[in-house]
Amino acid sequence: MRILVVEDEHRIANSIKKGLELETYVVDVAYLGNDGYDLASTEDYDLIILDILLPQMDGITFCKKLRKNKIHTPVLMLTAKGQIEDKVTGLDSGADDYLTKPFSFEELLARVRALSRRPKTALDEVLSVEDLRLNTKLYQVERGGKKIKLTSKEFSLLEYLMRNAGKILKKEQIINHVWDYDADILPNTVEVYIKNLRNRIDVPFKKKNPLIKTVRGFGYKIE
Ligand code: CA
């Protein structure tokens, strides 16, 4: 799950980023309207959190422009307290929901969960493929009842594979969904992470079928 936060108040932007990252979302931040728009129109996001009052390009213009260019990424708009008109204009401009500042992180998280363009199964807290289980709430992974320890990147990678179980995922798709925009990731970094993940979920279970498959020339899938 990759989210773009466009907010010029650094403190707010950074605390949203930090909080969402703890929930294993991948988060990019832009502090200026134009920079945010460039990212939103060239990168693949599952959700955009967009402040209305922004330098260079305000949130309303931003959102209208996105929709005009047929980019339908869900937008959660941040409005200042009491500005009812903002909410109406925001929703008119094509935003999907709004949140009034100041808000609690829990409120934000609830909206983010509701708006994330997740496949239906994504609402499940526990994902499973054969005897492999991943609990997105408790950050636990186990296979055949045996607990498996993963780093947070390995966890995000496995979650992405499991949410798309049976589908072939290209390395570029994996990079886009699991790493930040800033991260300098080469396709062979994905290979390294896949190898590490295999060492944790497949290699120790020799008597069972390996779950992560390499599809030569295409990418990877789990099934
Ligand atoms: Ca602002």
Side-chain angles (χ1 to χ4, degrees), residues 47-80:
L47 176 70
I48 300 169
I49 298 175
L50 180 62
D51 189 31
I52 287 195
L53 287 175
L54 287 169
Q56 289 184 350
M57 189 196 298
D58 66 86
I60 304 286
T61 310
F62 186 116
C63 199
K64 279 188 181 157
K65 201 171 161 192
L66 268 189
R67 299 308 185 227
K68 206 178 149 216
N69 288 315
K70 308 219 179 316
I71 299 168
H72 298 290
T73 314
V75 170
L76 172 61
M77 217 164 239
L78 304 180
T79 69

mmCIF file of all heavy atoms in Angstrom, residues 47-80:
data_model
loop_
_atom_site.group_PDB
_atom_site.id
_atom_site.type_symbol
_atom_site.label_atom_id
_atom_site.label_comp_id
_atom_site.label_asym_id
_atom_site.label_seq_id
_atom_site.Cartn_x
_atom_site.Cartn_y
_atom_site.Cartn_z
ATOM 1 N N LEU A 47 -3.465 5.809 -2.517
ATOM 2 C CA LEU A 47 -4.231 6.864 -1.858
ATOM 3 C C LEU A 47 -3.396 8.147 -1.800
ATOM 4 O O LEU A 47 -2.176 8.087 -1.661
ATOM 5 C CB LEU A 47 -4.590 6.423 -0.432
ATOM 6 C CG LEU A 47 -5.322 7.436 0.441
ATOM 7 C CD1 LEU A 47 -6.746 7.654 -0.039
ATOM 8 C CD2 LEU A 47 -5.349 6.969 1.897
ATOM 9 N N ILE A 48 -4.086 9.295 -1.904
ATOM 10 C CA ILE A 48 -3.402 10.582 -1.730
ATOM 11 C C ILE A 48 -4.071 11.319 -0.572
ATOM 12 O O ILE A 48 -5.298 11.455 -0.540
ATOM 13 C CB ILE A 48 -3.498 11.450 -3.006
ATOM 14 C CG1 ILE A 48 -2.856 10.715 -4.187
ATOM 15 C CG2 ILE A 48 -2.830 12.819 -2.789
ATOM 16 C CD1 ILE A 48 -3.125 11.360 -5.533
ATOM 17 N N ILE A 49 -3.265 11.751 0.389
ATOM 18 C CA ILE A 49 -3.765 12.588 1.485
ATOM 19 C C ILE A 49 -3.354 14.011 1.127
ATOM 20 O O ILE A 49 -2.167 14.306 0.994
ATOM 21 C CB ILE A 49 -3.171 12.147 2.835
ATOM 22 C CG1 ILE A 49 -3.592 10.702 3.133
ATOM 23 C CG2 ILE A 49 -3.618 13.088 3.960
ATOM 24 C CD1 ILE A 49 -2.964 10.111 4.381
ATOM 25 N N LEU A 50 -4.353 14.879 0.927
ATOM 26 C CA LEU A 50 -4.089 16.168 0.299
ATOM 27 C C LEU A 50 -4.609 17.318 1.144
ATOM 28 O O LEU A 50 -5.807 17.409 1.427
ATOM 29 C CB LEU A 50 -4.797 16.147 -1.070
ATOM 30 C CG LEU A 50 -4.715 17.350 -1.977
ATOM 31 C CD1 LEU A 50 -3.276 17.631 -2.382
ATOM 32 C CD2 LEU A 50 -5.554 17.090 -3.233
ATOM 33 N N ASP A 51 -3.706 18.200 1.528
ATOM 34 C CA ASP A 51 -4.116 19.399 2.260
ATOM 35 C C ASP A 51 -4.723 20.397 1.266
ATOM 36 O O ASP A 51 -4.359 20.415 0.097
ATOM 37 C CB ASP A 51 -2.891 20.005 2.949
ATOM 38 C CG ASP A 51 -3.279 21.120 3.899
ATOM 39 O OD1 ASP A 51 -4.382 21.065 4.473
ATOM 40 O OD2 ASP A 51 -2.472 22.055 4.062
ATOM 41 N N ILE A 52 -5.671 21.230 1.732
ATOM 42 C CA ILE A 52 -6.275 22.202 0.807
ATOM 43 C C ILE A 52 -5.377 23.419 0.618
ATOM 44 O O ILE A 52 -5.088 23.827 -0.501
ATOM 45 C CB ILE A 52 -7.683 22.645 1.290
ATOM 46 C CG1 ILE A 52 -8.676 21.496 1.070
ATOM 47 C CG2 ILE A 52 -8.132 23.893 0.525
ATOM 48 C CD1 ILE A 52 -10.118 21.903 1.171
ATOM 49 N N LEU A 53 -4.915 23.993 1.727
ATOM 50 C CA LEU A 53 -4.087 25.196 1.616
ATOM 51 C C LEU A 53 -2.630 24.808 1.416
ATOM 52 O O LEU A 53 -1.951 24.389 2.349
ATOM 53 C CB LEU A 53 -4.235 26.057 2.872
ATOM 54 C CG LEU A 53 -5.564 26.794 3.001
ATOM 55 C CD1 LEU A 53 -5.637 27.519 4.340
ATOM 56 C CD2 LEU A 53 -5.768 27.769 1.850
ATOM 57 N N LEU A 54 -2.175 24.957 0.185
ATOM 58 C CA LEU A 54 -0.814 24.555 -0.156
ATOM 59 C C LEU A 54 -0.161 25.642 -1.000
ATOM 60 O O LEU A 54 -0.838 26.298 -1.789
ATOM 61 C CB LEU A 54 -0.847 23.298 -1.028
ATOM 62 C CG LEU A 54 -1.195 21.962 -0.406
ATOM 63 C CD1 LEU A 54 -1.415 20.943 -1.515
ATOM 64 C CD2 LEU A 54 -0.081 21.497 0.519
ATOM 65 N N PRO A 55 1.159 25.814 -0.877
ATOM 66 C CA PRO A 55 1.839 26.747 -1.786
ATOM 67 C C PRO A 55 1.886 26.168 -3.207
ATOM 68 O O PRO A 55 1.826 24.951 -3.364
ATOM 69 C CB PRO A 55 3.253 26.841 -1.210
ATOM 70 C CG PRO A 55 3.318 25.951 -0.037
ATOM 71 C CD PRO A 55 2.047 25.187 0.094
ATOM 72 N N GLN A 56 1.980 27.008 -4.163
ATOM 73 C CA GLN A 56 2.103 26.663 -5.596
ATOM 74 C C GLN A 56 0.787 26.209 -6.237
ATOM 75 O O GLN A 56 0.377 26.728 -7.246
ATOM 76 C CB GLN A 56 3.159 25.585 -5.850
ATOM 77 C CG GLN A 56 4.574 26.038 -5.653
ATOM 78 C CD GLN A 56 5.555 24.950 -6.017
ATOM 79 O OE1 GLN A 56 5.187 23.805 -6.237
ATOM 80 N NE2 GLN A 56 6.826 25.314 -6.065
ATOM 81 N N MET A 57 0.181 25.186 -5.648
ATOM 82 C CA MET A 57 -1.100 24.729 -6.208
ATOM 83 C C MET A 57 -1.950 24.250 -5.046
ATOM 84 O O MET A 57 -1.531 23.395 -4.281
ATOM 85 C CB MET A 57 -0.856 23.562 -7.173
ATOM 86 C CG MET A 57 -2.097 23.154 -7.965
ATOM 87 S SD MET A 57 -1.950 21.515 -8.736
ATOM 88 C CE MET A 57 -0.575 21.735 -9.846
ATOM 89 N N ASP A 58 -3.148 24.826 -4.882
ATOM 90 C CA ASP A 58 -3.963 24.425 -3.737
ATOM 91 C C ASP A 58 -4.598 23.060 -3.993
ATOM 92 O O ASP A 58 -4.632 22.579 -5.128
ATOM 93 C CB ASP A 58 -5.023 25.481 -3.440
ATOM 94 C CG ASP A 58 -6.026 25.565 -4.564
ATOM 95 O OD1 ASP A 58 -6.997 24.794 -4.566
ATOM 96 O OD2 ASP A 58 -5.808 26.400 -5.486
ATOM 97 N N GLY A 59 -5.089 22.475 -2.912
ATOM 98 C CA GLY A 59 -5.635 21.122 -2.988
ATOM 99 C C GLY A 59 -6.822 20.960 -3.931
ATOM 100 O O GLY A 59 -6.968 19.926 -4.576
ATOM 101 N N ILE A 60 -7.639 21.998 -4.003
ATOM 102 C CA ILE A 60 -8.823 21.924 -4.874
ATOM 103 C C ILE A 60 -8.396 21.857 -6.348
ATOM 104 O O ILE A 60 -8.849 20.997 -7.104
ATOM 105 C CB ILE A 60 -9.743 23.167 -4.651
ATOM 106 C CG1 ILE A 60 -10.145 23.296 -3.179
ATOM 107 C CG2 ILE A 60 -10.947 23.138 -5.580
ATOM 108 C CD1 ILE A 60 -11.175 22.311 -2.686
ATOM 109 N N THR A 61 -7.488 22.768 -6.715
ATOM 110 C CA THR A 61 -6.983 22.778 -8.096
ATOM 111 C C THR A 61 -6.287 21.454 -8.411
ATOM 112 O O THR A 61 -6.471 20.861 -9.478
ATOM 113 C CB THR A 61 -5.970 23.941 -8.271
ATOM 114 O OG1 THR A 61 -6.564 25.120 -7.761
ATOM 115 C CG2 THR A 61 -5.593 24.133 -9.722
ATOM 116 N N PHE A 62 -5.480 21.015 -7.457
ATOM 117 C CA PHE A 62 -4.744 19.749 -7.554
ATOM 118 C C PHE A 62 -5.703 18.614 -7.893
ATOM 119 O O PHE A 62 -5.513 17.854 -8.846
ATOM 120 C CB PHE A 62 -4.088 19.519 -6.183
ATOM 121 C CG PHE A 62 -3.153 18.350 -6.070
ATOM 122 C CD1 PHE A 62 -1.805 18.573 -5.791
ATOM 123 C CD2 PHE A 62 -3.599 17.047 -6.181
ATOM 124 C CE1 PHE A 62 -0.925 17.506 -5.634
ATOM 125 C CE2 PHE A 62 -2.732 15.980 -6.016
ATOM 126 C CZ PHE A 62 -1.394 16.212 -5.745
ATOM 127 N N CYS A 63 -6.777 18.523 -7.094
ATOM 128 C CA CYS A 63 -7.702 17.413 -7.237
ATOM 129 C C CYS A 63 -8.468 17.477 -8.562
ATOM 130 O O CYS A 63 -8.630 16.482 -9.262
ATOM 131 C CB CYS A 63 -8.655 17.425 -6.054
ATOM 132 S SG CYS A 63 -9.459 15.864 -5.811
ATOM 133 N N LYS A 64 -8.899 18.691 -8.904
ATOM 134 C CA LYS A 64 -9.613 18.869 -10.173
ATOM 135 C C LYS A 64 -8.738 18.454 -11.346
ATOM 136 O O LYS A 64 -9.195 17.806 -12.280
ATOM 137 C CB LYS A 64 -10.008 20.343 -10.353
ATOM 138 C CG LYS A 64 -11.264 20.721 -9.599
ATOM 139 C CD LYS A 64 -11.699 22.121 -9.984
ATOM 140 C CE LYS A 64 -12.948 22.528 -9.218
ATOM 141 N NZ LYS A 64 -13.078 23.983 -9.127
ATOM 142 N N LYS A 65 -7.478 18.869 -11.268
ATOM 143 C CA LYS A 65 -6.538 18.580 -12.354
ATOM 144 C C LYS A 65 -6.307 17.069 -12.480
ATOM 145 O O LYS A 65 -6.255 16.527 -13.594
ATOM 146 C CB LYS A 65 -5.220 19.310 -12.055
ATOM 147 C CG LYS A 65 -4.362 19.526 -13.292
ATOM 148 C CD LYS A 65 -3.193 20.442 -12.964
ATOM 149 C CE LYS A 65 -2.117 20.279 -14.030
ATOM 150 N NZ LYS A 65 -0.846 20.904 -13.644
ATOM 151 N N LEU A 66 -6.191 16.412 -11.328
ATOM 152 C CA LEU A 66 -6.008 14.948 -11.333
ATOM 153 C C LEU A 66 -7.156 14.278 -12.072
ATOM 154 O O LEU A 66 -6.962 13.446 -12.950
ATOM 155 C CB LEU A 66 -6.033 14.404 -9.906
ATOM 156 C CG LEU A 66 -4.784 14.221 -9.074
ATOM 157 C CD1 LEU A 66 -5.161 13.471 -7.809
ATOM 158 C CD2 LEU A 66 -3.687 13.484 -9.815
ATOM 159 N N ARG A 67 -8.374 14.640 -11.656
ATOM 160 C CA ARG A 67 -9.562 13.992 -12.219
ATOM 161 C C ARG A 67 -9.707 14.318 -13.702
ATOM 162 O O ARG A 67 -10.107 13.478 -14.479
ATOM 163 C CB ARG A 67 -10.829 14.423 -11.460
ATOM 164 C CG ARG A 67 -10.840 14.061 -9.974
ATOM 165 C CD ARG A 67 -10.537 12.598 -9.713
ATOM 166 N NE ARG A 67 -10.674 12.249 -8.308
ATOM 167 C CZ ARG A 67 -9.780 11.537 -7.617
ATOM 168 N NH1 ARG A 67 -8.682 11.101 -8.198
ATOM 169 N NH2 ARG A 67 -9.989 11.247 -6.353
ATOM 170 N N LYS A 68 -9.345 15.568 -14.059
ATOM 171 C CA LYS A 68 -9.415 15.974 -15.454
ATOM 172 C C LYS A 68 -8.462 15.121 -16.290
ATOM 173 O O LYS A 68 -8.743 14.797 -17.445
ATOM 174 C CB LYS A 68 -9.035 17.453 -15.566
ATOM 175 C CG LYS A 68 -9.641 18.123 -16.779
ATOM 176 C CD LYS A 68 -9.281 19.594 -16.830
ATOM 177 C CE LYS A 68 -9.188 20.038 -18.285
ATOM 178 N NZ LYS A 68 -8.126 21.022 -18.501
ATOM 179 N N ASN A 69 -7.352 14.755 -15.693
ATOM 180 C CA ASN A 69 -6.372 13.925 -16.395
ATOM 181 C C ASN A 69 -6.608 12.434 -16.182
ATOM 182 O O ASN A 69 -5.721 11.626 -16.389
ATOM 183 C CB ASN A 69 -4.955 14.327 -15.988
ATOM 184 C CG ASN A 69 -4.577 15.669 -16.573
ATOM 185 O OD1 ASN A 69 -4.818 15.926 -17.746
ATOM 186 N ND2 ASN A 69 -4.034 16.553 -15.757
ATOM 187 N N LYS A 70 -7.801 12.131 -15.742
ATOM 188 C CA LYS A 70 -8.252 10.743 -15.591
ATOM 189 C C LYS A 70 -7.404 9.917 -14.621
ATOM 190 O O LYS A 70 -7.180 8.736 -14.799
ATOM 191 C CB LYS A 70 -8.315 10.041 -16.956
ATOM 192 C CG LYS A 70 -9.114 10.807 -17.994
ATOM 193 C CD LYS A 70 -9.932 9.877 -18.861
ATOM 194 C CE LYS A 70 -10.770 10.599 -19.899
ATOM 195 N NZ LYS A 70 -11.477 11.804 -19.399
ATOM 196 N N ILE A 71 -6.924 10.581 -13.584
ATOM 197 C CA ILE A 71 -6.228 9.854 -12.528
ATOM 198 C C ILE A 71 -7.222 9.716 -11.378
ATOM 199 O O ILE A 71 -7.678 10.710 -10.826
ATOM 200 C CB ILE A 71 -4.950 10.590 -12.080
ATOM 201 C CG1 ILE A 71 -4.002 10.702 -13.281
ATOM 202 C CG2 ILE A 71 -4.277 9.859 -10.917
ATOM 203 C CD1 ILE A 71 -2.844 11.642 -13.075
ATOM 204 N N HIS A 72 -7.600 8.488 -11.092
ATOM 205 C CA HIS A 72 -8.690 8.278 -10.141
ATOM 206 C C HIS A 72 -8.240 7.739 -8.783
ATOM 207 O O HIS A 72 -9.023 7.131 -8.064
ATOM 208 C CB HIS A 72 -9.740 7.363 -10.773
ATOM 209 C CG HIS A 72 -10.336 7.973 -11.996
ATOM 210 N ND1 HIS A 72 -11.173 9.070 -11.941
ATOM 211 C CD2 HIS A 72 -10.166 7.690 -13.315
ATOM 212 C CE1 HIS A 72 -11.510 9.421 -13.171
ATOM 213 N NE2 HIS A 72 -10.908 8.598 -14.024
ATOM 214 N N THR A 73 -6.983 7.981 -8.455
ATOM 215 C CA THR A 73 -6.487 7.587 -7.135
ATOM 216 C C THR A 73 -7.386 8.220 -6.068
ATOM 217 O O THR A 73 -7.680 9.416 -6.154
ATOM 218 C CB THR A 73 -5.048 8.123 -6.946
ATOM 219 O OG1 THR A 73 -4.300 7.830 -8.123
ATOM 220 C CG2 THR A 73 -4.386 7.527 -5.724
ATOM 221 N N PRO A 74 -7.836 7.438 -5.080
ATOM 222 C CA PRO A 74 -8.658 8.049 -4.023
ATOM 223 C C PRO A 74 -7.928 9.190 -3.316
ATOM 224 O O PRO A 74 -6.727 9.105 -3.087
ATOM 225 C CB PRO A 74 -8.887 6.883 -3.052
ATOM 226 C CG PRO A 74 -8.663 5.655 -3.835
ATOM 227 C CD PRO A 74 -7.662 5.993 -4.892
ATOM 228 N N VAL A 75 -8.678 10.253 -3.035
ATOM 229 C CA VAL A 75 -8.103 11.427 -2.371
ATOM 230 C C VAL A 75 -8.817 11.677 -1.045
ATOM 231 O O VAL A 75 -10.046 11.742 -0.990
ATOM 232 C CB VAL A 75 -8.217 12.692 -3.260
ATOM 233 C CG1 VAL A 75 -7.855 13.955 -2.471
ATOM 234 C CG2 VAL A 75 -7.322 12.568 -4.491
ATOM 235 N N LEU A 76 -8.037 11.770 0.007
ATOM 236 C CA LEU A 76 -8.556 12.168 1.315
ATOM 237 C C LEU A 76 -8.082 13.602 1.548
ATOM 238 O O LEU A 76 -6.885 13.869 1.614
ATOM 239 C CB LEU A 76 -8.007 11.239 2.410
ATOM 240 C CG LEU A 76 -8.310 11.645 3.855
ATOM 241 C CD1 LEU A 76 -9.814 11.680 4.129
ATOM 242 C CD2 LEU A 76 -7.629 10.681 4.823
ATOM 243 N N MET A 77 -9.030 14.538 1.627
ATOM 244 C CA MET A 77 -8.659 15.936 1.733
ATOM 245 C C MET A 77 -8.614 16.390 3.187
ATOM 246 O O MET A 77 -9.448 15.986 3.994
ATOM 247 C CB MET A 77 -9.668 16.766 0.959
ATOM 248 C CG MET A 77 -9.026 17.928 0.269
ATOM 249 S SD MET A 77 -10.133 18.572 -0.974
ATOM 250 C CE MET A 77 -9.137 18.389 -2.426
ATOM 251 N N LEU A 78 -7.630 17.211 3.498
ATOM 252 C CA LEU A 78 -7.520 17.761 4.851
ATOM 253 C C LEU A 78 -8.014 19.203 4.823
ATOM 254 O O LEU A 78 -7.537 20.012 4.023
ATOM 255 C CB LEU A 78 -6.063 17.720 5.321
ATOM 256 C CG LEU A 78 -5.381 16.351 5.295
ATOM 257 C CD1 LEU A 78 -3.938 16.470 5.790
ATOM 258 C CD2 LEU A 78 -6.148 15.332 6.145
ATOM 259 N N THR A 79 -8.993 19.501 5.657
ATOM 260 C CA THR A 79 -9.519 20.864 5.680
ATOM 261 C C THR A 79 -9.302 21.466 7.061
ATOM 262 O O THR A 79 -9.154 20.745 8.038
ATOM 263 C CB THR A 79 -11.034 20.887 5.390
ATOM 264 O OG1 THR A 79 -11.703 20.295 6.502
ATOM 265 C CG2 THR A 79 -11.378 20.112 4.144
ATOM 266 N N ALA A 80 -9.288 22.808 7.101
ATOM 267 C CA ALA A 80 -9.125 23.471 8.393
ATOM 268 C C ALA A 80 -10.459 23.467 9.129
ATOM 269 O O ALA A 80 -11.521 23.347 8.513
ATOM 270 C CB ALA A 80 -8.623 24.887 8.182
#
